[in-house]
Amino acid sequence: MALKAGKDAFFLLDSVAGSASNLTAYIDQVSLDQPVEALEVSVFGSNAKAYLPGLSDGGQVSFSGPLDVALGTFIAALKAGHAAGSASSTIDFSPAGSVSGLIRQQAEGFVTSYSVSSSVSGRVEYSATMQITGAVTNSTW
């Protein structure tokens, strides 16, 4: 088994104009979930619940890190563009890096949350969440 360190993660996100921007240098945490609905199909007389897999929900991708003015401007513009009705943005995440043979997850999504925080003993940070629309494409580079 070839294990990889997260330090080599790679993250691209389309701008409002539709061009891919490499945000890797601005992020220190990414989470992309891919839930599937569980449809209960239990009937009278059952002693345990029964389920069938339902629709795949694209899920969400959350990312965060130290706040940089350029990144803050980028995310705020993206959120405003999505709220105004612009097309979704392409998300391209590789948790172990962008080298041939490594995992690559791609999806379309829009910003649903953007927040900034600060504390007296820490750095200024941001976090953003995007709702994925449609399916996530799981592949390799």
Side-chain angles (χ1 to χ4, degrees):
M1 176 177 5
L3 303 176
K4 295 288 184 184
K7 68 179 185 63
D8 295 325
F10 182 72
F11 193 87
L12 293 176
L13 182 60
D14 279 359
S15 67
V16 175
S19 59
S21 296
N22 185 346
L23 302 185
T24 304
Y26 302 102
I27 297 174
D28 64 10
Q29 188 280 327
V30 178
S31 175
L32 191 154
D33 66 333
Q34 299 181 52
V36 175
E37 290 179 349
L39 307 175
E40 186 179 348
V41 294
S42 307
V43 295
F44 292 125
S46 299
N47 290 325
K49 290 184 177 182
Y51 294 90
L52 288 175
L55 290 174
S56 175
D57 181 346
Q60 294 183 328
V61 61
S62 299
F63 53 98
S64 60
L67 182 64
D68 177 89
V69 174
L71 178 75
T73 302
F74 178 90
I75 298 295
L78 197 60
K79 182 178 179 285
H82 290 154
S86 70
S88 60
S89 295
T90 300
I91 301 159
D92 196 339
F93 173 50
S94 300
S98 57
V99 178
S100 178
L102 295 180
I103 293 171
R104 184 178 193 182
Q105 299 174 310
Q106 295 173 294
E108 290 292 316
F110 54 91
V111 177
T112 56
S113 172
Y114 170 60
S115 62
V116 175
S117 64
S118 180
S119 71
V120 71
S121 63
R123 66 186 188 185
V124 177
E125 299 181 345
Y126 80 93
S127 64
T129 302
M130 296 181 71
Q131 176 63 49
I132 295 171
T133 181
V136 174
T137 302
N138 293 291
S139 61
T140 59
W141 283 93

